[in-house]
């Protein structure tokens, strides 16, 4: 990746465990967003980053807020 260039994915939420991560990922996909997840580099080991495409990240984040996340 070239310096100063934005990545393809952006973290929009940190889920607290596998169950919540799956629920959020399913919710986003049902709404038509591209979603991905990745284990966070935190000490707890249970945090999972929910990521959306950079171009959809703000809209996906607002959607999660509307859904109560």
């Amino acid at each position: 990746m070239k310096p100063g260039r934005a990545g393809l994915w952006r973290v929009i939420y940190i889920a607290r465990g596998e169950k919540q991560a799956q629920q959020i990922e399913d919710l986003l996909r049902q709404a038509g967003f591209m979603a991905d997840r990745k284990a966070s580099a935190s000490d707890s080991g249970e945090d999972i980053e929910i990521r959306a495409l950079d171009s959809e990240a703000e809209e996906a984040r607002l959607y999660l807020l509307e859904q109560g996340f």
Side-chain angles (χ1 to χ4, degrees), residues 13 15-30 35-37 48-50 64 69:
Y13 193 85
R16 304 292 179 224
E18 182 64 32
K19 184 177 178 180
Q20 185 184 41
Q22 185 64 53
Q23 178 186 14
I24 292 169
E25 186 177 20
D26 290 345
L27 187 67
L28 287 169
R29 288 185 180 191
Q30 289 172 4
D36 188 29
R37 61 184 152 153
I48 300 171
E49 296 177 346
I50 306 297
L64 287 180
F69 288 98

Side-chain angles (χ1 to χ4, degrees), residues 42-60:
S42 71
D43 293 335
S44 71
E46 295 181 22
D47 292 343
I48 300 171
E49 296 177 346
I50 306 297
R51 304 182 301 174
L53 287 176
D54 190 57
S55 60
E56 299 177 338
E58 186 63 24
E59 186 179 352

